[in-house]
Amino acid sequence: MPERPTPTPVISTPEVERGFDLREALSFLWRHWKFIAGVVALVLVVGVVHLSRETPLYTATSKVLLAQHQEAAPTATSPGGFTFDIAYVQSQMAIIRSVVFLDRVVKREHLVSEDAGGDRVSAEPTGKRTLFSSILGSVLSFLRLAPSHPVAPRAVTAGADKIPPNDLAAIEALAGALRVSSVQGEPYVLAISVTSPDPARAARLANAVASNYLVDQLDTRYEAARRASEWLSARLADLRRELRQSEDAVAAFRAKHDLAEGGRLTLNKQELSALNARLLAAKADLAQKRARLQLLGAIEAKGGSLEAMPDIAAAGTLGGLLQQKSALSAREANLLSRYGPEYPVVINIKAELRDVDGSIARETQHLAAQIRNDYTLAKARVASLEETLGAATGQTTLDDKEAIRLRELERTAAVNKTLFENFLNRAKITAAQSTFRPQDARIITPALPSGAPSYPRTTRFLVIDLGLGLVLGIGGAVAKEKLNAGFTTPKQIEEELGLPLLSSVSHLRPRERVIDGRIVAIHDQPLLRPLSRFSEAIRSLRSGIQMTNVDNPPKVIEVTSTAPSEGKTTIALSLAASAAAAKLKVLFIDSDLRHPSATRLFGLEKEAGLVDLLLGRVDEVEAIRFIEEKGYSVLASGNQTQNPTDLLSSERMRSLLAAFREAYDLVVLDTPPAGPVIDPIIVSQLAEKVVLVVRWGMTAREVVRESAQRLSGHPKIAGIVFNHVNDRLAQKYGKYASTYYYGRRYYKNYYQS
C-alpha cells in the first residue's frame, strides 16, 4: 500500500461555513458558567444597590376629552361636520407642553413659592449617584425603565421682558415631571401625567394642568371671537365706504354728461338684462342668417343648383317634390328597359317629370327669396334692439372713450357691491355657525393619588438587569474564548492545520507520578505503569505513526515542537520507552545540539555523542550507550559545536540514519523547536516521519501554523500531539473533547480498578 499523504494544510484553503451547533453552545456555557454567573451576580448586586438608593416616584394621570375639530360645513364624507385631525391633536399636546402655558400653570398654582420652600416637583430620582449608577440610569432611561428627563425649556422673551429665574426654574421642574400623550384607541382623549415623589402632589398638579388647559381654551376662544368681531366690523365699514365711493363716481359721471335722469330710468335692472339677452340672441340669429345668405350667393355664382343647400333640400314641400321626382325617374328607367322611349306610358312619365322639375324650380326660388328676406328682417331687428338699448342706457350721445369710462365705473361699482354683499353674507353664516359649536373639552377622568410607585419598577428593573448581566457575561466569555490563542480541540487542529491529532497526553500532577512512595520521571511511566492513561496515550501516538504507512511502518521518527517548554523531549523519551516496553530495539538520539536536555537528563554531558560521531572522532560502539533500566539505547549530543546546522545536514548524518534504520526497530530523534532555529527543518529531510508537539491551550495558533507550514514542505508530518492537557477543562469542550473525557473515565472505571 502506498504511503498515506499528509492532509493539505488549511492555510491556503477556505474555511468551511458552519451553522449553529447546540451542543457546542452548551459546551461553551459549561466552560464559562462560573464567569457568566459572576458577572450576572455583580450586575444584579449593583442593580439592587441602585434600587435601594433611588427615591420612589409616583405618577398621577388625568384624562381630557378634546373638543372635536369642526369643518367649515358638513360634507358627504362627514355628515356631522366633524373629522379626525391628528395635526389638531398634536397641536393641543404642544400647547400643554409649551412654556407660555406652563408659566400660567405655575403662576395660578403658586408653584414658585412651593418650590422655594423645598417642595420642588421633579421626575429625577434623588440620592447620591455614583458613576456606575449614573451610567446604569442612562441605560435604563434608554430602555424606558427610568423616567425620562426632557431638555429644559430655555427662557423666552415677551417683548423686552424675560421670564424671571424663579419662575423659569419652576417651569423647568414642571416640564420635567409632565408627560402628555394620546390614549390608544381614543384619539381625542389626552392623558396628562405628572410624576412626583409625593403621590398627592402629583395628582393635584395633573388636575391643575388639565383644569388650566380648559380655562386656556375658553380664554383663547373668547379672545379669538373678540378679535374676529373687531376685524369684521372694520372690514364691513371699509367695504361699505368703497361701495359708496364707486356708486357716487358713477352718479357724478352721469350727471356730468347729462345722463342722470335719461331714458335709462324707464327700464329697471331686470328689464335691461332681458333686453341685453334679446340683443345677444338677435345677433346670433343674424350671424346664422348671414351665413345662409353667403352660402346661397356662392352656389348661385357657380351656377349650381340650390338643391345642394341642406335647409332647402330638407324643406317640407321641396322634399316631397324631390321624392316624387326620384320615384318617377326610377319608374321611367324601368319602362325604358322594357318598352322603349315611344311607349305611351313612358311619354306620360316624362311629361310628369317635366312638371315636377318646374315645381322644384319654383319652390327653390321661393325658398331663396325667403332666405334673403329673413336676413334683412334679422338685420333690422338687431338694429332696432341696439337703438332701444342705447336709448335705455342713455349712452347714445357718448363717444367711445366716454362710454368705456362709464362702463369701467359701473363695473367697479358692481364689483364693490358684490364683494360687500358676499362678505356680509359670510359674516352672517359664520355667526350662525358659531351657535352650533361642538361640545367643549372637558375632564373625563380626574387624577387620583397612586398607591404604587411608577419608578423604580422593581420586577422589570431586575429582569432587565438580569438580561444585561447575561449579555455582559456571555460577551465577556466570548472575548475570553477569542483571546485564548492556543489549540484546545482536535477539530481546531484539523481545521487550522489540516493535520490529524495523533494523541492527547494529559498533564500529570506530582501525586499521579508517585510509585512505591517516590516520584518518578514522566518519561518512565510507560515502563513502570503500562496501563496508565499516560502510557495509553503514548501507545496511541506510536500506533498513529505506524498507521501512516501500514505496509512499511516508519522507523526514523523526528519529534519537535514550535516553542521551548512544550514537552517535546518528554514525549520523545516516552515514545522510546513505550517502544522498548513492547520489546522493540530502540535508539534515542539527542539531536538538540544547542540545548541537549536529554543528554543532561541521562548524565552524559561529558561523554562522546552525536557530534563526535559525525566528526569521526569515535565510532558507533563508543558513542551509543544502552540504558539497562530504560530498555533502549541512547546517543547523546556529544561535545558542543559552533556549526550544528552543517553537521545535521551532512552526508555523514544521512548515512548514519540509514545504518540505524537497518540496525534498530525504532529511531527517535529529539530536535530543537522549529520556531527559533532551522535544525528541525534540516532533520525532517532525513527522518521518515515528523511528530509536532503542541502544548494544549498555550501555544499560539499563528506560531504553530507557521511551524507546520515550514515543515509541511515535506509530506512527512505524521500529525500533532497535544501535551499537558488539562482534563478538567478539556472535558468541557463537548463532542470535540471526547478523547479526554471518555478516555479518563474509561481507564479509571475499568483498567485501574
Side-chain angles (χ1 to χ4, degrees), residues 90-168:
Q90 291 179 347
S91 64
Q92 299 306 306
M93 296 168 61
I95 289 174
I96 297 176
R97 289 192 291 259
S98 65
V99 176
V100 176
F101 175 78
L102 295 179
D103 184 34
R104 296 177 185 174
V105 176
V106 167
K107 291 179 179 178
R108 290 174 180 172
E109 298 299 322
H110 307 290
L111 296 182
V112 177
S113 59
E114 292 183 3
D115 292 345
D119 192 20
R120 179 181 297 275
V121 57
S122 176
E124 183 175 0
T126 59
K128 296 182 179 179
R129 300 176 64 87
T130 63
L131 177 60
F132 184 84
S133 62
S134 300
I135 297 175
L136 183 61
S138 301
V139 173
L140 296 176
S141 178
F142 175 77
L143 298 176
R144 298 184 180 274
L145 291 178
S148 58
H149 307 290
V151 178
R154 298 179 181 273
V156 296
T157 58
D161 299 330
K162 292 184 178 180
I163 298 178
N166 292 336
D167 292 358
L168 182 59

Side-chain angles (χ1 to χ4, degrees), residues 46 116 135 183 221 251 284 303 309 538 543 622 705 721 723 736 753:
V46 174
I135 297 175
V183 178
R221 183 177 302 171
M309 295 186 65
I538 300 301
S543 299
E622 296 176 322
R705 185 185 299 110
V721 176
N723 195 21
Y736 302 123
S753 61

Side-chain angles (χ1 to χ4, degrees), residues 302-321:
K302 294 180 180 180
S305 175
L306 298 181
E307 298 176 7
M309 295 186 65
D311 50 354
I312 292 180
T317 305
L318 182 59
L321 291 173

Side-chain angles (χ1 to χ4, degrees), residues 717-739:
I717 300 181
I720 303 296
V721 176
F722 269 163
N723 195 21
H724 291 287
V725 176
N726 188 328
D727 294 323
R728 183 179 59 83
L729 295 179
Q731 65 182 349
K732 297 182 179 180
Y733 283 87
K735 61 180 182 179
Y736 302 123
S738 57
T739 301

